[in-house]
Amino acid sequence: MSARPIATTRSAAGMPTPRLAVWWVIASEIVIFGGLLGSYIMHRIAHGEWAEYAANTNTMIGATNTFVLLTSSLFAVLAHQAAERGDGKTAARFLYMTTGGGLVFLTIKAFEWTSEISHGMTITANTFWSFYYTAAGIHALHVIAGMIIMLFVAQTAKRNEDLHRVEIIGIYWHFVDIVWIFLFPLLYIAK
Amino acid sequence: MTAEEHHEPSFYVKIWAILLVLLIVSVLGPMIGIKWITLLTAFGIALVKAYLVAVNFMHINLTPRYVVYLVTTTLVFMLLFFAGSAPDVMKEHGRNWEKPAWIATEAAYQAGELDLGHGHGGDHEAESGHHGQSEHH
């Protein structure tokens, strides 16, 4: 007897169960990131001196990482499109490219943080930097999680199996992209 | 993408190009140095970019309407959280409380006496009364 899940569709929900599940994940993620960013915004507005700390963040590095994530999102949606066509090999290739985008993002982040930390801007330096590292750090953990899942999905997609998963991980990846779209102006532009 | 909608790859490349143009505008906008333009180009454009990604890449418009309601509900909860917490966080005096450390820090900052060259700043500095490692600018 097969142990594979059979509840991949659910007529009552009007959409495949995995897609419904990922939207539930995203709804809960909105509360996590929304609470954190909402707290940051109210503190940022209340503390004028935080503008001085924020002036230390590098806008061009933030913009480069935004470019990288937007491009990786393009690859993710092209992977989805290939999966819709039943072309698992192309879908897998685009998923690898998306993962590569995540890797570039994290590498840039690593250099950026190394520079900041070596100059004394650590997570315990003050409340601004606590928010900075917490928000960007939780986001980076989501990038890592997305990359790991994407590599698993690419493995099966390459064999033309479970191609619906390509769309699901893509939706999650686009959400991670959207979170960064808001982190970028909050941490790098508003100075 | 669902059975209801099929786009050519060029469509997604076009959306990506629009997102990149918006990114460039959001970087250039603050360089003008006018506050409302900075806010508009930074946060207004972030909203537009998020909308473009949600609709064209995540295809939220093609999901059942209740998914949109689900996501909107969580966003409304965030607004409620903000409205409930911000008055306490953003004001230095309240009905039954005050923030002497915060007031001292703000006063020092306004007077140009706050040492921003040190890691510790804001309310933490005044509360703990000690300084952390130096911070580079």
Side-chain angles (χ1 to χ4, degrees), chain A residues 5-178:
Chain A
I6 55 170
T8 53
T9 60
R10 182 175 293 169
S11 58
M15 65 197 297
T17 305
R19 199 189 300 159
L20 173 64
V22 81
W23 278 110
W24 269 111
V25 169
I26 288 170
S28 29
E29 296 277 14
I30 288 172
V31 182
I32 294 169
F33 282 106
L36 183 63
L37 297 187
S39 303
Y40 170 74
I41 291 168
M42 61 182 86
H43 281 84
R44 176 74 176 77
I45 295 171
H47 290 277
E49 75 274 15
W50 282 24
E52 309 277 345
Y53 302 129
N56 290 292
T57 60
N58 189 320
T59 306
M60 288 322 293
I61 290 180
T64 305
N65 259 348
T66 309
F67 166 76
V68 169
L69 273 195
L70 288 175
T71 307
S72 73
S73 255
L74 171 68
F75 294 148
V77 79
L78 290 177
H80 173 202
Q81 195 190 39
E84 287 270 322
R85 290 197 310 268
D87 185 353
K89 278 194 165 47
T90 305
R93 201 164 56 234
F94 276 123
L95 285 181
Y96 289 133
M97 289 163 77
T98 311
T99 310
L103 195 61
V104 171
F105 176 89
L106 292 173
T107 305
I108 293 172
K109 205 103 208 73
F111 279 107
E112 180 190 22
W113 279 22
T114 303
S115 167
E116 286 162 352
I117 290 167
S118 66
H119 287 108
M121 293 173 261
T122 61
I123 194 168
T124 55
N126 58 48
T127 320
F128 170 80
W129 291 109
S130 300
F131 269 115
Y132 172 84
Y133 286 108
T134 305
I138 291 176
H139 177 264
L141 286 177
H142 281 74
V143 171
I144 293 167
M147 288 166 64
I148 293 169
I149 297 166
M150 215 171 284
L151 289 175
F152 278 108
V153 173
Q155 285 304 308
T156 52
K158 210 161 52 180
R159 298 191 297 267
N160 265 341
E161 292 170 6
D162 298 320
L163 289 179
H164 67 279
R165 291 176 176 176
V166 177
E167 178 193 10
I168 306 309
I169 187 60
I171 292 173
Y172 170 84
W173 191 261
H174 298 314
F175 171 74
V176 173
D177 187 12
I178 287 179

Side-chain angles (χ1 to χ4, degrees), chain B residues 108-128:
Chain B
Y109 175 65
Q110 295 300 332
E113 294 167 358
L114 185 63
D115 184 4
L116 293 163
H118 285 80
H120 283 259
D123 48 334
H124 285 187
E125 180 182 74
E127 281 164 8
S128 58

Side-chain angles (χ1 to χ4, degrees), chain B residues 67-85:
Chain B
V67 171
V68 180
Y69 293 151
L70 172 68
V71 171
T72 310
T73 303
T74 57
L75 290 170
V76 170
F77 271 125
M78 286 306 95
L79 288 178
L80 282 174
F81 161 71
F82 192 91
S85 309

